[in-house]
Amino acid sequence: MKAAVYEGKKAIKMTELPTPKAGPNDVVIQNIYAGICGSDVAVYNHGSGTGHKIETDHEFGHEAVSKVVEVGDDVHDFKIGDRVYPYPLLARGDPSRAGSMGGFSEYILIPNAKLNRQLYLVPKEIDNHVLR
């Protein structure tokens, strides 16, 4: 998969990473849209010492709307095709990775995915055209 990796002040690399696979309790999501947050801009311009949770050599971006593309055997809250908002603090299972959730990557692995914790369903009334 294609992914943007933060390499430090004013340095982001587009690279290929392995596409994640869901374990029994996990969900894999594919990003549909990503936003650029003020903290992304601050870290890009001033480096990771700005107090934001973005570290070097991690995937970049944390504002995304995604769709579920793989569901682990023990996950019952989500189905393939659901549109979801991944909550940056908990999506990757590590609050210190909130800013480097992978919003600018093609796919994100959501370990131990729980509804209204790591992932929130996007209401059907909000169509993809509104999200642009």
Side-chain angles (χ1 to χ4, degrees):
M1 71 167 181
K2 291 184 184 353
V5 174
Y6 178 72
E7 292 190 316
K9 184 177 176 179
K10 297 196 177 189
I12 298 170
K13 173 177 69 175
M14 287 303 297
T15 189
E16 290 283 333
L17 295 176
T19 301
K21 300 289 181 204
N25 300 304
D26 308 333
V27 169
V28 175
I29 59 176
Q30 180 180 25
N31 290 323
I32 301 170
Y33 294 106
I36 298 173
C37 182
S39 59
D40 297 331
V41 175
V43 170
Y44 177 79
N45 285 321
H46 305 290
S48 60
T50 61
H52 302 289
K53 297 180 178 194
I54 300 170
E55 298 297 326
T56 57
D57 300 320
H58 283 148
E59 293 172 69
F60 200 41
H62 61 277
E63 301 288 348
V65 172
S66 311
K67 69 178 177 181
V68 173
V69 294
E70 186 181 359
V71 177
D73 291 339
D74 296 334
V75 175
H76 305 289
D77 291 336
F78 305 100
K79 64 184 182 315
I80 292 174
D82 283 345
R83 285 182 311 141
V84 292
Y85 167 74
Y87 180 50
L89 276 174
L90 301 176
R92 297 294 288 249
D94 179 359
S96 71
R97 297 268 325 262
S100 55
M101 179 185 78
F104 303 138
S105 297
E106 285 186 274
Y107 300 93
I108 302 172
L109 174 68
I110 309 297
N112 300 306
K114 301 274 187 282
L115 181 62
N116 299 329
R117 184 155 169 80
Q118 288 89 353
L119 297 172
Y120 291 80
L121 294 173
V122 175
K124 293 182 187 338
E125 295 81 20
I126 301 174
D127 68 25
N128 285 344
H129 298 286
V130 173
L131 297 171
R132 282 195 252 165

